[in-house]
Amino acid sequence: MDNQGNCMKNELWTNTLKMNFCPIPEGCFLMGEGGQEADERPVHSVKISRGFWMQETPVTNGQFEEFHPGHIRYRDLKHSSRDDACTNVTWQEACAFAEWLSNKEKKKYRLPTEAEWEYACRAGTNTAFSSGDTLPEITFSQEDFFSDEVPDMHVAQKQANAWGLYDMHGLVEEWCLDWYAPYPDGEQTDPGGPKQGIYRVTRGGSVNTTMEYLRSANRMAALPETRNEIIGFRLVCTEIVPMPVKTQGRTFRWQRDVRQEKAYYSRIEQAVFKEPLVFVRPPELLEEGPFYPHNHVPSIAVLENGDLFATWFSAKRECGRELTVLAARLRFGAEEWDTADEFYKIADRNMSSTAVFCHPDGRLFHFNGISMSGTEFNLVSVFRVSEDNGVTWSRERYVNAHYSTNKPICAPTIDNDGRILLPADMYDMKNRRQGTVLFRSNANLDSFEMRTAYGENAENFLKPDKTAGWIAGVHGAVLQLRDGRLVAYGRSESRCGRQLIDGKMPVSVSEDMGRNWSYHASPFPPIGYAQRCCLLRLKEGPIVFFSFTDPQYDVIAGHIQGMDLTDAEGRILHGYGLYAAVSFDECKTWPIQRLITTGKNVPEKYDPGASCPPFLMDKYHGQPLGYLQAVQSPDHMIHLISSRLHYRFNLKWLMSGHHIGMI
């Protein structure tokens, strides 16, 4: 280093922790990649005004534990060595390490800015990787949460780039200094990102990450509190003071022109079934994206202003880093849903899955999973709150801060005390178990605890008169009965086999607010993949159960049997597909069942979206597959959504005879 603090050519030095630092010369480069992901545009010129030093490799466990000896408990879980790349470090801890080292050595260490990182990674190249258009030394595989293979995390095992830096493409993602935000237009000098944000940038990708996400220009992000086994960091030593950057966000369609007045309804007295609407509508403008072919796992809420607010995920494939969450409104009094716009996304994280719920106090809650990588299973769960009908949102809080298979894929509800009950999937592939667990909020609705004793008394699972620690079936629909017990129904087939009692969908019942569950057979047929049932307590008092007459595996095989459905007049119709069952005695009996169709004699073709093929709807046939969720608006209309279609009807229509179709 010269007396101006500039990096000298070919100078390499080692600090007291045996961290090697490579010289990175001053210069200019084009940041971003125009033909790839939207957040890499616009490609813009960046000047690095002075040379600096960057650590030759990511920080190792041994180096970080000189600062934080207690970190060893994290690497013991993976049997990693002192010379492996350090992970399980939050952004704040990485910055604290840099500050400690700066004080220790009287030098200025910090995390690299995003621009410094990409500049150093490229090392003078303008190709996808510093090695050219490919990475010949790395073996790529699909990200697989269920793999037992332990990756080699030892640093400097691959060839360095032209400036002597190892592991810039893969091994571990690396924290950067910047808040994540869209790129600004125009030339930049020593940019340091915006002054504030929600997510911090990570760069470089990690082990078991597919090639497109290891490119020099690829951007990732994470909540700064994130602690996991694939995010690490490296330091720079520099006198450069990054310059804050102004970024221009946009107003999303679901945020625009939202009325804040409370809605007033006219009670609908007659039986009503309206023509189904499409609520998953592609954006009209290219910038109101992305919008992928697979749109699935819907959720819906009725807001205080009368709007219906729906969310769902959109993806090329369900285990993909591109998977994002979209949203749309059906504005109060309107007969057509707004087009979709992006609602919730952390760059290059799988966002499976999503749920929204409007509490009786008017607050709108949004629950979401944030995957460690591209798989839909290894994730944490967070929630946000809106107090202005979904226009603005609080910062995330954790439902579950530990990576697991818990994903908020089911409909939230409230218990008799006004607390939120949040069902979530649970998969235990090692022991071949799966089901639904339950989280319950505190009285202030600002934190959650897991109620379910998952795995406890596993030998009793699905046995009559026995209790075990979880709800039978994934995607569980949960409701509290008036006597305080919880009742739940779930999908009967998943990765761990079928869960049936006497050939029927099981009912799970808890007498201790979700810790333990007992089981008995329901009167309903089982359901399988591409199907999700739901429960809804109506304002009138009865409980309605929505499901399908035939499981997906029989639908696909062509072995459709249908079921006898009894209306309020005692007449029986043998129907196929989506139906509702009504209980007047807290789920003990279901005397009324009604096929959810327009009831027309001439079949009409409908596209249900997601994994479901088009189907013909008539008096005897409803939608055969789909993920269901239902809410009821103050005018007592029931709004049932299923992956793409929005059904609208009321209890009086459910109580009317089979001969009564769309009114």
Side-chain angles (χ1 to χ4, degrees):
M1 178 169 61
D2 65 17
N3 57 11
Q4 301 298 316
N6 291 313
C7 179
M8 302 296 290
K9 186 176 181 180
N10 298 323
E11 186 178 357
L12 179 70
W13 58 274
T14 303
N15 69 7
T16 59
L17 297 186
K18 298 182 180 180
M19 301 163 69
N20 293 331
F21 283 80
C22 297
I24 308 299
E26 66 183 58
C28 297
F29 77 109
L30 291 177
M31 188 172 183
E33 192 168 339
Q36 292 292 330
E37 298 183 57
D39 67 350
E40 298 169 21
R41 301 190 293 268
V43 177
H44 55 288
S45 177
V46 171
K47 179 181 179 180
I48 304 298
S49 65
R50 303 168 68 180
F52 62 93
W53 288 267
M54 178 173 270
Q55 192 175 352
E56 187 180 42
T57 70
V59 173
T60 65
N61 287 317
Q63 291 162 353
F64 185 74
E65 286 161 14
E66 291 292 318
F67 161 68
H68 184 19
H71 176 267
I72 194 172
R73 69 182 183 273
Y74 295 109
R75 65 182 175 93
D76 281 349
L77 297 174
K78 289 291 183 180
H79 308 290
S80 59
S81 74
R82 287 178 55 85
D83 295 324
D84 285 353
C86 179
T87 60
N88 283 297
V89 174
T90 68
W91 182 89
Q92 293 92 338
E93 290 170 341
C95 290
F97 174 73
E99 183 178 3
W100 169 80
L101 190 58
S102 297
N103 293 331
K104 173 181 170 62
E105 298 198 343
K106 308 306 178 187
K107 295 183 175 71
K108 291 187 177 180
Y109 293 99
R110 60 167 169 80
L111 294 175
T113 66
E114 185 178 15
E116 290 167 345
W117 194 98
E118 184 173 329
Y119 176 64
C121 178
R122 290 185 177 279
T125 66
N126 58 9
T127 50
F129 307 94
S130 59
S131 57
D133 293 327
T134 61
L135 289 172
E137 288 189 309
I138 296 180
T139 300
F140 298 95
S141 63
Q142 296 295 321
E143 295 165 307
D144 184 4
F145 172 70
F146 300 120
S147 173
D148 293 327
E149 181 182 351
V150 178
D152 182 2
M153 302 293 283
H154 201 77
V155 300
Q157 297 299 294
K158 305 295 183 182
Q159 184 176 351
N161 72 8
W163 289 350
L165 300 171
Y166 292 91
D167 307 319
M168 298 296 280
H169 303 292
L171 194 62
V172 293
E173 292 178 37
E174 298 178 15
W175 287 117
C176 291
L177 193 64
D178 311 41
W179 291 108
Y180 178 86
Y183 281 157
D185 289 316
E187 298 181 0
Q188 307 288 323
T189 298
D190 300 327
K195 290 184 177 180
Q196 57 186 348
I198 300 175
Y199 320 114
R200 295 288 182 177
V201 174
T202 65
R203 285 295 200 123
S206 63
V207 293
N208 295 332
T209 300
T210 52
M211 183 181 289
E212 65 266 33
Y213 297 106
L214 302 182
R215 293 174 295 103
S216 300
N218 189 71
R219 309 178 71 203
M220 297 180 172
L223 291 168
E225 301 82 13
T226 298
R227 184 193 304 280
N228 65 38
E229 63 197 54
I230 65 171
I231 299 181
F233 69 106
R234 73 177 77 208
L235 298 182
V236 295
C237 184
T238 179
E239 299 286 336
I240 296 175
V241 178
M243 300 298 293
V245 171
K246 292 183 179 180
T247 60
Q248 185 69 37
R250 70 179 180 89
T251 302
F252 296 93
R253 182 170 288 273
W254 46 266
Q255 291 179 305
R256 300 175 198 165
D257 305 319
V258 177
R259 63 191 296 269
Q260 295 301 325
E261 296 80 11
K262 188 173 182 178
Y264 291 94
Y265 296 79
S266 298
R267 176 78 176 272
I268 299 174
E269 300 295 340
Q270 72 275 22
V272 174
F273 184 102
K274 296 185 178 182
E275 182 75 32
L277 299 176
V278 173
F279 72 92
V280 177
R281 302 178 60 223
E284 295 176 354
L285 303 175
L286 184 62
E287 61 268 23
E288 292 179 345
F291 186 89
Y292 297 110
H294 186 56
N295 293 274
H296 196 28
V297 187
S299 187
I300 189 170
V302 181
L303 309 187
E304 278 205 320
N305 69 352
D307 292 355
L308 294 180
F309 193 85
T311 62
W312 65 93
F313 74 60
S314 184
K316 298 176 185 175
R317 57 189 182 92
E318 292 192 8
C319 283
R321 286 181 178 264
E322 83 289 345
L323 187 147
T324 185
V325 178
L326 307 183
R329 288 180 185 270
L330 179 65
R331 298 175 187 263
F332 186 55
E335 282 294 311
E336 183 177 70
W337 283 81
D338 287 354
T339 54
D341 204 346
E342 192 164 49
F343 176 59
Y344 190 60
K345 177 64 177 173
I346 300 178
D348 290 357
R349 309 287 170 203
N350 185 291
M351 306 300 294
S352 183
S353 284
T354 186
V356 289
F357 173 73
C358 194
H359 192 271
D361 68 11
R363 284 183 288 175
L364 178 61
F365 286 76
H366 166 225
F367 301 91
N368 221 100
I370 303 172
S371 174
M372 184 185 299
S373 54
T375 173
E376 62 176 310
F377 297 103
N378 203 5
L379 47 81
V380 295
S381 298
V382 298
F383 72 101
R384 307 183 297 165
V385 182
S386 174
E387 298 187 17
D388 56 7
N389 292 291
V391 177
T392 61
W393 293 87
S394 67
R395 283 185 176 269
E396 291 88 341
R397 296 179 181 177
Y398 285 101
V399 174
N400 181 12
H402 302 287
Y403 284 90
S404 70
T405 60
N406 296 149
K407 53 181 176 179
I409 196 170
C410 320
T413 186
I414 59 170
D415 64 18
N416 296 340
D417 295 326
R419 300 189 184 198
I420 297 175
L421 301 176
L422 178 68
D425 283 359
M426 173 66 90
Y427 293 90
D428 179 358
M429 298 306 294
K430 182 178 181 180
N431 295 301
R432 299 297 294 170
R433 293 198 293 256
Q434 52 87 46
T436 300
V437 298
L438 189 67
F439 291 87
R440 187 190 189 209
S441 74
N442 64 1
N444 294 328
L445 312 181
D446 58 10
S447 67
F448 285 78
E449 67 165 343
M450 184 173 172
R451 293 290 305 170
T452 313
Y454 189 82
E456 195 168 280
N457 300 319
E459 68 278 5
N460 295 335
F461 183 64
L462 287 183
K463 293 182 179 179
D465 303 319
K466 301 288 186 179
T467 61
W470 66 98
I471 297 165
V474 294
H475 306 358
V478 179
L479 196 70
Q480 187 171 26
L481 304 177
R482 300 207 186 279
D483 64 8
R485 293 178 302 148
L486 300 178
V487 64
Y489 299 78
R491 192 169 82 183
S492 308
E493 181 184 31
S494 194
R495 290 170 175 82
C496 300
R498 297 180 182 178
Q499 297 179 356
L500 306 176
I501 299 179
D502 298 332
K504 299 291 187 179
M505 178 188 295
V507 181
S508 304
V509 178
S510 175
E511 297 184 0
D512 56 5
M513 193 51 72
R515 180 169 176 80
N516 295 286
W517 299 82
S518 60
Y519 314 95
H520 63 270
S522 77
F524 306 121
I527 56 175
Y529 287 105
Q531 294 172 318
R532 183 179 71 184
C533 61
C534 69
L535 283 167
L536 178 65
R537 182 183 292 280
L538 301 181
K539 299 179 185 300
E540 297 92 333
I543 296 171
V544 184
F545 174 74
F546 298 98
S547 190
F548 300 92
T549 62
D550 294 88
Q552 180 259 9
Y553 42 87
D554 285 344
V555 172
I556 297 301
H559 300 151
I560 302 174
Q561 299 181 21
M563 62 184 282
D564 286 340
L565 303 157
T566 305
D567 68 15
E569 299 174 8
R571 288 184 277 198
I572 295 176
L573 180 144
H574 194 82
Y576 305 84
L578 174 59
Y579 69 91
V582 184
S583 176
F584 302 93
D585 57 6
E586 299 294 283
C587 300
K588 294 176 185 176
T589 62
W590 303 87
I592 297 173
Q593 305 96 42
R594 182 75 196 265
L595 207 63
I596 307 299
T597 77
T598 57
K600 296 179 180 179
N601 291 321
V602 179
E604 290 185 307
K605 190 174 183 179
Y606 286 87
D607 178 4
S611 304
C612 313
F615 68 98
L616 295 176
M617 183 188 295
D618 59 21
K619 183 178 180 179
Y620 300 96
H621 297 86
Q623 182 172 332
L625 306 172
Y627 274 34
L628 306 175
Q629 188 172 342
V631 292
Q632 190 180 26
S633 50
D635 58 0
H636 291 205
M637 285 292 291
I638 298 166
H639 301 272
L640 175 69
I641 59 172
S642 174
S643 301
R644 184 173 181 265
L645 298 178
H646 169 204
Y647 299 90
R648 302 169 292 167
F649 48 89
N650 59 8
L651 177 61
K652 288 194 175 183
W653 180 82
L654 290 176
M655 297 286 290
S656 63
H658 294 309
H659 62 288
I660 305 297
M662 187 175 69
I663 300 175

